[in-house]
């Protein structure tokens, strides 16, 4: 670590004298924000000033969106227990009409188009490790590289026969949600079948990059024995992964066991006191695992669907900041301390030391 | 580890190089000298060492082919002294030419087994039927170099690992800092947390899989793979445990150790080594951190244990004053006097007198017009003055070197004091310029003109600590008069003055007065005397007795001492000299600062008590406001009586009792004093030996720890190490600082060893952890670097744990929502990069660049250091607060993100609800931003490095998201187009990124601010002061009180402004600075019950530091102490102990196998098994109460221990045989390694340490 430094105008003399550099002498120019009490209060208030208005705005828009929905898995089927209901759907596997039922929703507040149609599942672990892993993004995007279905275990081959590789493979695709809905609006006694669009209900980037148009192979040729899992067809949203946006939404996993997926979009307004009747083909087996199924209609604002949480969180945090400012002021007033007072140094307070 | 590997390799290379050095060895077969490598040299070989070569082994010096049979050696590697030592070959071999040794067939060396005593040797040379004692002065030790001598022939007596230098080397202990050990504990805690997480997860998952998963048909539970097989829950649990272990592994900051290492290297190589404050321009020595492990330990030091000579003082002796024939000469003012005067408000005129400059030289700083030039001829009593000067020129063991001109001559002296005296004589006109084996030649300039006078040196009666005097008997060639010159401690000399010689009485009085004055000024005094010896009596009576005593194989010490007594009598007093050992620059201020920093200072010195106290006052260690206690066993009548009567046991018991009582009294007195009183203890080596004994050490430690300062006088190197271990055993962080080989033990046993570099010798530096050039640099080393490093590293480590905990718990918490299946909400790629990229830079920047206050402020307010001593930054409270904060923030993140962004809500106008990877990115962003907000909070200063790291790290995260999203799908999978396509268009994402960190940090911020308001930490107050100063436009540097040298001064001095390194501010107002008058000292002291008016009764000795005069003092490692003339005795620590009867038996077996009994080839067959019990073993045993008679309660033990004691010299003479006498087939000189050697120093120390710790623990119970 010896540094040659030149002293004076003599010949360069080798010395071990360390160079006078700010970085090694630890004298780098530095800013030291030492907060005086007024600054502390100011900071708390400033945070509060920023957060509270944002919170107000968020709350406003979070509440502006309208949401209406109803759980239907229990009421749609006869039977007292889920086991009986499951029995029912398994027995009527071939006959969808026996599974149909209708749910009536009353619109309490105007809903401007577009009105989004969601199904909501509860108790469904899309975030289970086995479930999450069992898919092949490359296959879905029809990219030539790494088409192997090995990632998809256990839904890799149809019937376990390796000559029938499944495409799209994996548990997620295999368990594709298969309830369908017809939605009727009754306004002033006039009933109208609302057209439910399934276009542009998936993320644009998904439509563009992640799902390709190809004909599925060996993909749920029939409903699986658990009475869940759908195939892709023109009648139910699109025959290829790249066309079927409901499939895309299904493939976007949910982080928690209670989740919604966008099923369709209604381009007509719903008015207060309208009655909406949803005719459900209740095929999907949530009874085995005591899950719940709901149908939800909702509108959005720029901030998203109805969700006051963000606004409240902002308001609480901003309010907390304000309270802390007051608390700090009280502390400050109750026990004032001179700024930079050497008398507050602990070693100055002790007897015997100077 | 790599570092250690490299070091090991270097060591290996060095070993190889050393092993293969060439040396000329006599081949007995051919009688020729052949060149061999060092590793092939065997015991018994005869080797030739040429000028400037190192000795490959321990050698018996046989011949130097010079007339006198002497050679000079440099012992720098052994004791750090650069002056040359003279070695003398035995008379019978010194005249042999080297070729003659080929015919050398019937010589045998008998000697003791290998041992670590550097300055002792017991053995005989059997040659031609004669038995001759070998004196230690004929032993050439490995590690020394031959100087000024062309060739030296020697016989190998100990080789390889048996050499004394090896026996002395203890492996330097590997040192780890407190903080690192704490880190290990936290890591263990984190691991247990991890395990419990994993076990919880695994158990839950196993049960869930068994009971619930069969119902979740979409998980295809019937398509079993083992990992998810509901029918084998135990395996599922096990697999889950493994998965979780990897998953939650983020709790353990793996990169922590790497980061710590990097930071420490930057701190030591970048800052400590390059600090201009610790650069000593005069010796061109920067500070050196020899290890980077202990940086933060420097910030936690509670106790500094310091050597005195060479550490506090410069070890440059200057002839300063003298008193001749009752008249005091010399007008200089010592530092101590200056300080004293300043304290009283006067300023002494210390300007050099105009005439003084021409005489000023090294070792000499004296001017008095009455003596200078030839003026002394007309001074008071010129005859005495002349004799005084003659004594200075003759009575010494100095060897002149170089051209024999007064200006150019160099003196090689064993102690700088002697050199100072000889130089003084030279200046006064008594120029000593030549020494042969038997003569000393002095060019005397007297009223009679300048003549070369040759004195025949008949005898040299050497100094030792019992005699406390040194004499030479000379015969003036011209007039055949025999004169004895004696110099020594005043008490010793006064006893031997001629009562019939009239001038003595008058002179005694005034000389005593002068000596007292000199002593009070911190000077080292010597009393000088001479007398004429009756020639008849000398030749016929004394000389034979002397020769008999000198050659006696038994009881030699006692006989020699008795013989000396007979000639050193009826002396005539000449006067006294006073030598100044100057304090190093800035020492008092440095000590004052360290004291203010709450550091206890223990000075361990070989000096006598009075000198030590004076120096302690001079360097502000002892101050007037301290309650000073003295513990000593000197001057206690009963003990002295017992010693006089030779009743060792009684003396031991009484001493032990006295020390015990003293300590108890001191403790009682301390309890009685008001809170906040400051205490100091002065203890002498002998009392210390008892205080360190097993049963007293806990009490002594208790008392010592309550003192601001402890001065231990006359301590041995081993005691230094023991004291260090004792203090260390309490849990205090100790720092030992020293400069010499005698400090090595202390340096190694302390937590931190600091060596004084840039001066003579490297021993201390080589065993130290940090090397600085001056004592005063301790201040920046501790107060700046130590403090910074401690704060930085503790902060960095805590931050590491905080962030990993925060991150790890989010992963765990998310798992609670997916049945602990081991799924994570984050993507693998950015998860792995969390520690490595996104949060890697900031902790390192904290560790390197953060500084809470400027270094000037750290120096101005030394009390800031106390935070480190109390470990306020890394104690349980701090750690748990950090972890709690981490948990709180984690829960805020989990609630806000998992509830706010639950997948039943939509965050955009197009209606899609939150999906998993999107929530993951949001959560991760929150974690990263929160963590950096935390950095913002704890950052004390913002340099560009801080800005860079904090903002860059966050920017990198978003850049990563952007970049990764456009990578091909097979590469970025979940992240493919996630950020651009889904996450960033959402307003909620950005709103949460703003909200969550704010919600996380607000309470933290409030608590910090409230704490600062209510209970401000010291550094926070100082920060405010600093801020205030800046606001007032004053720079902090001004506050340091250093006035920049004026431009004019720098022009005229002809040198550019030179960096002098750190000089502590001199604060004249300080009440800590200054010396206390002796009366104040007397009143301030509490008599401790031993009736020891120490200052007055304390025996004086010739030179105050027995270790400097190495000739008579044993090696570092065993304590020198007054050698009792009655022979070996059981004395704790201070003296080597003979084994007691029962112990002797054990030791006999030990020494029987102690190999390395060398012979000269060919072997004289002598019976094996003869041995000298106890040597090398017992000498090393510290007094630990086990067999030292320190117990007052077990007198029987002593009786047992003492009764069978054979005096050392009456032991059967040892017969050196070949190393393995039993195996006579071994070639001559074959080496044998000892199967069991004497206890090595470090072992003894360790044992002692353990015992002390145990004793301490017991005492606490």
């Amino acid at each position: 670590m010896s540094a040659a430094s030149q002293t004076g105008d003599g010949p360069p003399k080798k010395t071990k004298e360390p160079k006078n550099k700010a970085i090694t002498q630890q004298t780098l120019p530095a800013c030291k924000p030492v907060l005086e009490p007024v600054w502390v209060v100011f900071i708390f208030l400033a945070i509060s000033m920023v957060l509270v208005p944002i919170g107000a705005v968020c709350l406003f828009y979070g509440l502006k969106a309208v949401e209406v929905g109803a759980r239907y898995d229990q009421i749609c089927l006869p039977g007292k227990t889920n086991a009986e209901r499951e029995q029912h759907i398994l027995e009527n596997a071939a006959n969808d009409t026996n599974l149909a039922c209708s749910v009536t929703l009353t619109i309490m507040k105007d809903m401007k188009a577009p009105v989004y149609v969601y199904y909501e599942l509860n108790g469904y672990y899309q975030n289970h490790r086995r479930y999450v892993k069992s898919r092949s993004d490359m296959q879905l995007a029809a990219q030539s590289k790494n088409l192997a279905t090995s990632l998809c275990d256990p839904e890799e081959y149809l019937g376990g026969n390796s000559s029938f590789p499944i495409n799209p493979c994996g548990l997620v695709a295999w368990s594709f949600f298969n309830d369908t809905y017809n939605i009727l609006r009754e306004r002033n006694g006039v009933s109208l079948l609302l057209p439910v669009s399934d276009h542009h209900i998936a993320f644009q980037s998904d439509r563009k990059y992640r799902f390709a148009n190809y004909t599925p192979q060996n993909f749920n040729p029939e409903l699986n024995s658990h009475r869940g899992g759908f195939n892709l067809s023109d009648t139910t949203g699109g025959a290829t992964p790249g066309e079927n946006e409901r499939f895309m939404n299904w493939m976007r996993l949910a982080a928690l066991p209670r989740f919604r997926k966008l099923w369709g979009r209604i381009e007509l307004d719903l008015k207060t006191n309208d009655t909406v009747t949803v005719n459900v083909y209740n095929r999907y087996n949530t009874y085995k695992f005591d899950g719940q199924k709901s149908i939800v209609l909702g509108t959005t604002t720029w901030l998203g669907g109805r969700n006051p949480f963000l606004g409240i969180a902002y308001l609480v945090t901003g309010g907390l900041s304000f309270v802390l400012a007051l608390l700090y002021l009280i502390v400050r007033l109750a026990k004032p301390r001179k700024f930079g007072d050497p008398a507050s140094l602990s070693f100055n307070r002790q007897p015997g030391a100077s | 580890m790599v570092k250690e590997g490299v070091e090991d390799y270097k060591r290996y290379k060095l070993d190889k190089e050393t092993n293969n050095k060439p040396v000329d060895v006599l081949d007995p077969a051919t009688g020729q000298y052949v060149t061999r490598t060092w590793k092939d040299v065997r015991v018994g070989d005869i080797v030739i060492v040429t000028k400037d070569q190192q000795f490959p082994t321990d050698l018996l010096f046989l011949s130097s082919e010079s007339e006198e049979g002497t050679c000079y050696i440099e012992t720098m590697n052994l004791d750090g002294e650069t002056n040359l030592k003279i070695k003398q070959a035995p008379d019978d071999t010194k005249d042999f030419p080297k070729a003659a040794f080929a015919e050398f067939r019937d010589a045998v060396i008998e000697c003791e087994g290998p041992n670590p005593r550097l300055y002792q040797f017991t053995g005989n040379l059997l040659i031609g039927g004669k038995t001759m004692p070998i004196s230690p002065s004929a032993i050439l030790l490995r590690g020394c170099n031959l100087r000024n001598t062309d060739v030296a022939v020697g016989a190998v007596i100990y080789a390889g690992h048996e050499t004394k230098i090896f026996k002395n080397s203890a492996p330097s202990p590997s040192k780890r800092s407190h903080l690192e050990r704490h880190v290990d504990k936290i890591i263990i805690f984190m691991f247990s947390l991890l395990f419990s997480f994993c076990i919880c997860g695994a158990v839950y998952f196993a049960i869930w899989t068994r009971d619930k998963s069969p119902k979740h048909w979409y998980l295809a539970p019937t398509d079993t793979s083992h990992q998810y097989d509901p029918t084998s829950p135990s395996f599922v649990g096990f697999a889950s445990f493994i998965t979780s272990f990897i998953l939650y592994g983020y709790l353990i900051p793996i990169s922590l150790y790497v980061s710590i290492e990097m930071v420490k290297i930057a701190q030591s190589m970048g800052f400590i080594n390059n600090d201009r404050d610790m650069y000593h321009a005069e010796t061109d020595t920067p500070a050196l951190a020899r290890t980077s492990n202990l940086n933060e330990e420097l910030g936690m030091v509670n106790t500094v244990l310091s050597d005195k000579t060479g550490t506090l003082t410069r070890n440059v002796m200057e002839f300063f004053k003298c008193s001749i024939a009752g008249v005091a000469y010399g007008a200089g003012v010592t530092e101590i006097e200056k300080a004293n005067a300043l304290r009283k408000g006067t300023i002494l005129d210390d300007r050099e007198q105009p005439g003084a400059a021409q005489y000023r030289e090294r070792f000499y700083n004296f001017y008095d017009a009455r003596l200078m030039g030839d003026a002394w001829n007309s001074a008071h009593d010129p005859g005495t003055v002349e004799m005084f000067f003659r004594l200075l020129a003759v009575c010494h063991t100095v060897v002149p070197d170089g051209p024999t001109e007064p200006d150019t001559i160099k003196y090689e002296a064993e102690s700088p004091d002697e050199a100072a005296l000889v130089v003084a004589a030279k200046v006064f006109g008594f120029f000593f310029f030549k020494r042969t084996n038997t003569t000393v030649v002095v060019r005397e300039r007297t009223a009679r003109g300048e003549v070369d006078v040759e004195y025949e040196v008949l005898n040299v009666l050497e100094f030792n600590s019992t005699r406390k005097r040194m004499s030479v008997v000379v015969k003036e060639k011209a007039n055949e008069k025999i004169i004895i010159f004696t110099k020594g401690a005043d008490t010793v000399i006064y006893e031997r003055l001629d009562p019939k010689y009239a001038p003595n009485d008058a002179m005694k009085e005034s000389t005593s007065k002068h000596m007292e004055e000199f002593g009070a000024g911190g000077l080292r005094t010597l009393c000088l005397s001479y007398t004429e010896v009756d020639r008849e009596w000398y030749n016929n009576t004394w000389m034979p007795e002397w020769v008999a005593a000198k050659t006696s194989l038994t009881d030699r010490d006692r006989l020699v001492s008795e013989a000396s007594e007979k000639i050193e009598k009826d002396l005539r007093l000449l006067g006294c000299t006073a030598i100044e050992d100057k304090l190093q620059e800035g020492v008092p201020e440095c000590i004052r600062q360290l004291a203010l920093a709450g550091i206890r200072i223990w000075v361990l010195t070989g000096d006598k008590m009075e000198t030590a106290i004076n120096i302690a006052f001079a360097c502000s260690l002892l101050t007037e406001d301290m309650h000073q206690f003295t513990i000593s066993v000197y001057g206690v009548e009963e003990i002295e009586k017992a010693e006089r009567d030779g009743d060792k046991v009684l003396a031991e018991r009484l001493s032990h009792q006295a020390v015990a009582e003293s300590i108890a009294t001191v403790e009682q007195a301390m309890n009685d004093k008001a809170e906040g009183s400051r205490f100091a203890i002065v203890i002498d080596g002998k009392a210390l030996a008892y205080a360190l004994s097993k049963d007293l050490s806990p009490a002594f430690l208790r008392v010592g720890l309550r003192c601001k300062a402890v001065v231990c006088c006359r301590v041995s190197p081993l005691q230094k190490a023991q004291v260090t271990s004792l203090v260390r055993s309490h849990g205090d962080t100790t720092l030992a600082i020293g400069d010499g080989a005698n400090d090595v033990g202390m340096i190694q046993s302390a937590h931190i060893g600091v060596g004084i570099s840039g001066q003579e010798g490297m021993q201390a530096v080589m065993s130290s952890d940090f090397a600085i050039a001056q004592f005063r640099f301790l201040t920046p080393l501790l107060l700046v670097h130590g403090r910074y490093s401690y704060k930085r590293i503790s902060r960095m480590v805590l931050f590491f744990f905080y962030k990993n905990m925060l991150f790890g718990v989010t992963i765990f918490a998310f798992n609670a929502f997916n049945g602990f299946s081991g799924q994570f909400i984050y993507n693998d790629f950015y998860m792995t990069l969390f520690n490595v990229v996104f949060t890697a830079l900031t902790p390192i920047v904290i560790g390197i660049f953060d500084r809470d206050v400027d270094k000037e402020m750290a120096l101005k307010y030394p009390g800031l250091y106390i935070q480190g001593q109390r470990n306020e930054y890394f104690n349980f409270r701090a750690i748990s607060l950090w972890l709690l904060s981490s948990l709180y923030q984690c829960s805020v993140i989990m609630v806000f993100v998992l509830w706010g962004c639950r997948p039943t809500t939509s965050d955009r106008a197009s209606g899609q609800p939150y999906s998993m990877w999107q929530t993951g990115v949001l959560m991760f962003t929150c974690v990263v931003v929160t963590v950096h907000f935390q950095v913002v909070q704890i950052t004390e200063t913002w340099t560009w490095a801080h800005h860079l790291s904090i903002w860059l790290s966050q920017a990198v995260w978003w850049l990563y998201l952007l970049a990764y999203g456009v990578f091909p799908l097979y590469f970025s999978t979940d992240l493919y187009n996630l950020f651009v396509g889904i996450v960033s268009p959402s307003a909620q994402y950005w709103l949460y990124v703003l909200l969550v960190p704010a919600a996380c940090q607000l309470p933290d911020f409030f608590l910090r601010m409230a704490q600062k308001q209510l209970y401000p930490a010291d550094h926070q107050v100082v920060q405010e002061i600093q801020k205030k100063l800046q606001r007032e436009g004053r720079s902090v540097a001004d506050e340091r009180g250093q006035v920049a040298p004026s431009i004019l001064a720098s022009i005229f001095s002809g040198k550019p402004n030179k960096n002098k390194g750190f000089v502590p501010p001199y604060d004249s107002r300080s009440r800590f600075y200054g010396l206390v008058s002796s009366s104040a000292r007397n009143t301030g002291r509490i008599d401790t019950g031993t009736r020891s008016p120490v200052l007055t009764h304390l025996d004086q000795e010739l030179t105050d530091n027995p270790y400097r005069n190495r000739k008579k003092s044993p090696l570092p490692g065993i304590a020198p102490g007054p050698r009792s003339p009655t022979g070996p005795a059981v004395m704790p620590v201070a003296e080597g102990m003979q084994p007691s009867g029962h112990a002797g038996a054990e030791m006999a077996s030990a020494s029987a196998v102690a190999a390395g009994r060398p012979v000269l080839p060919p072997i004289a067959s002598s019976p094996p098994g003869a041995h000298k019990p106890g040597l090398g073993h017992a000498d090393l045993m510290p007094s630990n109460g086990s067999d030292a008679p320190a117990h007052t309660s077990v007198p029987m033990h002593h009786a047992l221990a003492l009764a069978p004691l054979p005096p050392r010299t009456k032991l059967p003479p040892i017969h050196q045989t070949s190393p393995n006498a039993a195996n006579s087939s071994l070639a001559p000189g074959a080496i044998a390694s000892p199967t069991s050697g004497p206890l090595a120093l470090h072992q003894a120390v360790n044992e002692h340490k353990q015992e002390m710790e145990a004793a301490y623990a017991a005492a606490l119970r």
Side-chain angles (χ1 to χ4, degrees), chain A residues 119 121 124-126 131-132 134 155 168-179 219-220 223-224 226-231 247 250-251 253 259 261 284-286 289, chain B residues 216-220:
Chain A
Y119 54 89
L121 295 180
Y124 192 102
Y125 288 93
Q126 264 206 323
Y131 195 80
V132 174
S134 178
E155 286 304 317
C169 65
L171 284 176
V172 190
W174 175 68
S175 59
F176 180 33
F177 188 73
N178 57 5
D179 284 5
F219 177 65
N220 285 349
L223 280 177
N224 70 44
H226 301 289
R227 188 82 204 168
F230 215 19
N231 53 13
F247 178 71
W250 179 255
M251 297 302 285
L253 300 175
F259 58 88
K261 302 271 179 208
Y284 203 72
N285 182 3
T286 54
F289 54 90
Chain B
H216 290 262
W217 57 266
Y218 54 92
L219 298 175

Side-chain angles (χ1 to χ4, degrees), chain B residues 815-1085:
Chain B
N815 257 275
F817 297 96
N818 61 38
F820 291 104
S821 63
Q823 181 55 41
F824 28 77
I825 195 166
Y826 308 121
N827 175 282
D828 306 15
F829 287 97
Y830 59 72
M831 238 163 81
T832 31
L833 293 181
F834 177 76
N835 275 326
V836 190
V837 175
F838 305 126
T839 60
L841 208 52
T842 34
I844 292 180
V845 166
I846 294 176
I848 297 179
F849 289 108
D850 207 23
R851 51 176 207 265
D852 50 354
V853 297
D854 282 351
K855 46 181 179 176
E856 284 79 10
M857 297 305 271
L859 290 169
K860 194 185 171 205
Y861 294 96
L864 288 176
Y865 190 79
I866 296 169
Q867 293 181 321
Q869 290 174 336
R870 293 196 195 131
N871 199 5
E872 281 177 11
Y873 281 77
F874 210 74
N875 53 18
F876 181 74
R877 188 170 156 271
I879 296 167
S880 36
L881 277 179
W882 269 92
L883 295 184
L884 282 178
S885 163
S886 168
L887 281 181
Y888 161 77
Q889 299 186 8
C890 177
S891 52
V892 169
I893 292 175
M894 293 314 286
V895 169
F896 277 39
V897 175
L898 280 188
W899 180 250
C901 308
R902 61 199 183 275
T904 52
T905 65
S906 168
D907 64 334
R908 61 197 65 223
S910 54
Q912 292 92 349
Y914 275 104
S915 67
M916 187 159 107
W917 302 127
Q918 187 192 354
T919 314
V921 168
L922 172 54
M923 196 186 284
F924 195 82
T925 312
C926 289
V927 170
V928 169
V929 176
T930 304
V931 162
H932 283 101
F933 264 52
Q934 188 74 41
V935 180
V936 170
Q937 277 216 49
I938 62 169
T939 297
E940 309 264 22
T941 51
W942 288 77
T943 64
W944 56 262
H946 288 84
H947 285 289
L948 191 73
S949 66
I950 291 174
W951 309 127
L952 192 69
S953 297
Q954 298 184 65
V956 159
W957 160 238
W958 277 298
L959 288 175
Y960 166 87
L961 278 178
L962 280 176
Y964 216 72
V966 297
F967 281 177
L969 177 64
Y970 70 88
F971 200 65
S972 39
T973 58
D974 310 326
L975 282 181
Y976 184 64
N977 258 301
L978 184 70
F979 185 67
V980 177
I982 298 175
V983 175
S984 63
S986 158
Q988 285 201 6
Y989 173 76
W990 302 105
L991 287 169
Y992 276 111
V993 170
L994 179 65
L995 172 72
V996 175
C1000 286
Q1001 297 297 339
L1002 266 178
D1004 201 289
F1005 183 61
F1006 173 76
L1007 289 178
R1008 278 169 202 276
M1009 289 302 134
Q1011 171 265 325
K1012 192 174 151 186
Q1013 180 63 37
L1014 294 172
Y1015 314 103
D1018 292 338
H1019 74 276
Q1020 290 168 330
V1021 179
V1022 173
Q1023 279 173 345
E1024 293 179 356
I1025 295 173
Q1026 189 177 327
K1027 192 87 185 171
K1028 246 166 70 179
L1029 288 176
Q1030 279 171 352
R1031 228 175 268 157
E1032 289 162 18
R1034 280 192 278 160
S1035 92
V1036 178
D1038 293 345
E1039 286 301 300
R1040 195 158 129 184
Q1042 246 180 353
V1043 185
S1046 74
I1047 300 168
L1048 274 180
S1050 64
I1051 291 172
F1052 286 114
S1053 69
K1055 280 179 193 167
N1057 264 343
K1058 210 168 182 187
N1059 171 35
K1060 285 193 73 187
F1062 172 73
V1063 183
Y1066 180 86
D1067 188 355
S1068 55
R1069 290 158 302 174
S1070 161
R1071 54 195 241 258
F1072 298 102
Y1073 191 90
L1075 182 78
V1076 186
S1077 65
S1078 54
S1079 63
R1081 242 185 288 146
N1082 285 330
T1083 53
R1085 189 178 330 113

